[in-house]
Amino acid sequence: MPILVVDQTTGAVAPAGAPRNNCLLPAALVYDPVTNPTGTRCGDPDLAAAVWGTTAGIPAGSRRALQTGDNVGIQYGLKALLDGAITPEEFVTLNEKIGGTDADSNRRAARSVADLPALDIAYKAGIVASGKNLGKLPIIDSRGFDESGIHYIWRKLLRARPH
């Protein structure tokens, strides 16, 4: 189920809309921690489990892809603090309470921690990219029409182009 910000003042999030089946498979084949813990997982890491490797999932007997998502050490709101938009106390509170997600994308109090073997693979394979170096590369954008996920065609129009 999609999670959206429901209160712009507090940043509260909540499930919205119908549950998603990103695999477009019959529901009986798709992972559910209660009803089908060995079903196909539909998240990006799990679609590339052959690259990342797998490990035990949250329900006993299930498997999941190793994760590269991590927010340990990120200082949320640092620019806002330095600009005076938030107080030091707000900055500390934000970073104490930001939390993360577990391997099933459920919010939790602890920050998200990547699986180190997956990070090792990502760095050795050159999969890690940053804006610092992407700005130095020509990008050929030849995507087709896809309005079903993160590959929306309007995103290419937002990228800064050299003159």
Side-chain angles (χ1 to χ4, degrees):
M1 180 170 300
I3 305 290
L4 300 174
V5 175
V6 294
D7 186 322
Q8 295 293 329
T9 302
T10 65
V13 295
R20 286 191 188 160
N21 174 348
N22 295 341
C23 296
L24 301 177
L25 294 172
L29 299 177
V30 177
Y31 169 81
D32 181 278
V34 176
T35 62
N36 194 8
T38 59
T40 300
R41 290 172 169 266
C42 299
D44 287 340
D46 292 291
L47 295 174
V51 172
W52 307 121
T54 61
T55 189
I58 293 172
S62 71
R63 303 289 296 166
R64 66 166 178 83
L66 294 172
Q67 306 287 308
T68 57
D70 190 310
N71 68 343
V72 173
I74 294 175
Q75 296 179 352
Y76 292 94
L78 182 59
K79 183 174 183 332
L81 172 68
L82 296 174
D83 291 346
I86 63 174
T87 67
E89 182 64 29
E90 290 170 322
F91 174 76
V92 170
T93 301
L94 171 64
N95 283 282
E96 285 176 343
K97 298 184 182 234
I98 196 74
T101 58
D102 65 18
D104 283 345
S105 298
N106 298 310
R107 292 197 43 78
R108 64 179 187 181
R111 294 220 177 183
S112 303
V113 180
D115 294 303
L116 293 180
L119 288 180
D120 190 46
I121 292 166
Y123 279 96
K124 285 181 179 175
I127 296 171
V128 176
S130 74
K132 179 179 178 183
N133 291 319
L134 283 176
K136 300 173 187 174
L137 296 172
I139 297 174
I140 299 172
D141 193 342
S142 63
R143 68 181 91 192
F145 183 79
D146 178 5
E147 294 293 314
S148 62
I150 63 169
H151 303 286
Y152 296 113
I153 59 173
W154 56 262
R155 292 186 191 275
K156 67 182 175 184
L157 303 174
L158 301 178
R159 186 177 298 127
R161 305 278 189 208
H163 298 307

